[in-house]
Amino acid sequence: MDFIKGFTFGYMSKRGEWETDEAKESLRILKERCAIDHVVLTVVAEQDHPQSISIHWRNHPNVVSDHEIISMIEYARSLDLKVILKPMVNVSDGTWRAHINFFDTDVPCEPKWSEWFEAYNEFILHYAKIAEKLKCDMFVIGCEMVNADRREQEWRHLISRVRKQYSGLITYNCDKYQEDVLKWWDAVDVISSSGYYPIDAWEEQLDRIERVVLKHDKPFFFCEAGCPSWEGGEFLPNDWTLRGKVNVDVQKRWYEEMFRATSKRDWVRGFAMWDWKAQLYPIEMAEENQDYAVYGKPAETIINQFYRDIAEFK
């Protein structure tokens, strides 16, 4: 697998937002300023609460349309970018998707894993067909579904169904600290995870992940990785609910340490940084932005240089 110099694009975009010239220009700027060669296009649907068995995605006003997805994939290709399609499920009440959960033993009066996976299969298979039609370079079947991860047979069944629709590489984006917990890595083509590790914990966590990669002998990349721009964010980069005093240098130092640590591990085959919005803030506001965005911040220069150096080295 080629080294993935990637970025996540368009997270939480609503219907119609990818049709704008602004969104296309944002992707062009991303390639120009960060030297990427892969883009992860996120399609986000929601369920009402963690125990809902319905996923709202078909013709929903908060979900980008198939036409928009196809158009954005084609535009990305016109920029010579490889495309990874990543459908995701969020929870409307604000609960993190990792807490979607049901009883392991069915109870007649309670919602069931089988009902949820039926809805999830329908959702994922729809986008697998688009990924095949547009020949996307990789397809992500799920992201950070920590409680659902234990349902091994359901995931294996879904993967077998996806393979009937999509002929490219399949990955699952497990959450941080879950790389050595998942039991069905053998069923996918690429191992990937969310690299939101504390700035002072990279070596320890990479040692742990390395054992998983060597055991399964599969390619690995960080399907998400990023750090917010507030004081303290480098020590708990996964918690998007925290806020502190704006400090863009925190983000810069975190990226420098991640690249320093991962560059010593040749099994780390890339990143999809988190994240780049379809609608950019004015660049003069960059120093005031607390989010994970890197547009106009010092971290953007670090990423650009790293990806350019990788290209020269390869």
Side-chain angles (χ1 to χ4, degrees), residues 106-142:
D106 286 354
V107 176
C109 57
E110 298 292 342
K112 301 168 182 61
W113 275 118
S114 59
E115 295 171 317
W116 183 83
F117 267 103
E118 182 179 356
Y120 190 74
N121 271 245
E122 182 182 11
F123 170 65
I124 292 295
L125 290 170
H126 175 79
Y127 294 104
K129 292 176 183 177
I130 293 177
E132 177 65 17
K133 180 179 179 180
L134 276 294
K135 301 301 178 186
C136 291
D137 298 271
M138 194 181 299
F139 184 69
V140 186
I141 62 163

Side-chain angles (χ1 to χ4, degrees), residues 10 52 67 100 138 159 175 225 296:
S52 295
H67 172 76
I100 295 171
M138 194 181 299
I159 293 165
D175 191 35

Side-chain angles (χ1 to χ4, degrees), residues 45-164:
E46 293 186 355
Q47 59 185 65
D48 294 336
H49 55 79
Q51 281 71 56
S52 295
I53 57 172
S54 297
I55 300 170
H56 310 302
W57 60 273
R58 197 182 293 277
N59 298 318
H60 195 279
N62 288 340
V63 182
V64 291
S65 68
D66 291 356
H67 172 76
E68 291 173 83
I69 297 167
I70 292 168
S71 177
M72 189 60 79
I73 292 172
E74 291 174 340
Y75 181 69
R77 287 277 171 66
S78 77
L79 298 175
D80 293 324
L81 292 173
K82 295 182 178 180
V83 177
I84 300 172
L85 189 60
K86 184 180 183 182
M88 303 171 66
V89 171
N90 281 348
V91 183
S92 298
D93 67 6
T95 304
W96 178 32
R97 73 186 76 89
H99 297 291
I100 295 171
N101 201 11
F102 304 91
F103 296 159
D104 278 335
T105 301
D106 286 354
V107 176
C109 57
E110 298 292 342
K112 301 168 182 61
W113 275 118
S114 59
E115 295 171 317
W116 183 83
F117 267 103
E118 182 179 356
Y120 190 74
N121 271 245
E122 182 182 11
F123 170 65
I124 292 295
L125 290 170
H126 175 79
Y127 294 104
K129 292 176 183 177
I130 293 177
E132 177 65 17
K133 180 179 179 180
L134 276 294
K135 301 301 178 186
C136 291
D137 298 271
M138 194 181 299
F139 184 69
V140 186
I141 62 163
C143 176
E144 301 174 350
M145 313 288 286
V146 179
N147 271 300
D149 287 353
R150 71 181 187 271
R151 305 296 296 187
E152 179 178 351
Q153 294 310 310
E154 286 92 334
W155 286 107
R156 290 183 181 277
H157 178 65
L158 170 60
I159 293 165
S160 69
R161 296 186 71 188
V162 170
R163 290 199 185 281
K164 294 176 182 177

Side-chain angles (χ1 to χ4, degrees), residues 148-284:
D149 287 353
R150 71 181 187 271
R151 305 296 296 187
E152 179 178 351
Q153 294 310 310
E154 286 92 334
W155 286 107
R156 290 183 181 277
H157 178 65
L158 170 60
I159 293 165
S160 69
R161 296 186 71 188
V162 170
R163 290 199 185 281
K164 294 176 182 177
Q165 303 289 347
Y166 172 69
S167 58
L169 295 174
I170 294 173
T171 191
Y172 174 76
N173 176 187
C174 79
D175 191 35
K176 63 206 175 294
Y177 304 107
Q178 303 302 310
E179 297 92 347
D180 54 353
V181 178
L182 210 74
K183 305 299 184 186
W184 38 274
W185 284 128
D186 61 286
V188 300
D189 304 304
V190 178
I191 299 172
S192 67
S193 72
S194 291
Y196 299 107
Y197 290 113
I199 192 171
D200 56 357
W202 274 105
E203 297 293 352
E204 174 188 2
Q205 298 307 323
L206 289 169
D207 285 345
R208 180 181 56 80
I209 298 169
E210 184 172 283
R211 291 191 287 271
V212 177
V213 175
L214 294 178
K215 174 184 176 181
H216 292 282
D217 191 25
K218 290 180 181 288
F220 172 90
F221 80 109
F222 286 107
C223 198
E224 293 185 16
C227 179
S229 305
W230 61 71
E231 291 184 358
E234 73 271 44
F235 296 110
L236 203 60
N238 60 289
D239 194 338
W240 69 92
T241 67
L242 296 177
R243 287 293 184 271
K245 182 180 178 182
V246 178
N247 188 331
V248 295
D249 287 331
V250 161
Q251 185 185 58
K252 172 179 177 286
R253 292 195 302 271
W254 185 89
Y255 271 102
E256 288 174 332
E257 176 58 19
M258 179 180 73
F259 290 145
R260 185 201 66 78
T262 57
S263 291
K264 298 185 293 183
R265 318 280 181 141
D266 58 7
W267 50 267
V268 177
R269 301 299 301 159
F271 306 85
M273 307 308 180
W274 190 267
D275 69 323
W276 192 279
K277 297 293 190 291
Q279 284 74 39
L280 294 172
Y281 49 76
I283 197 166
E284 59 270 17

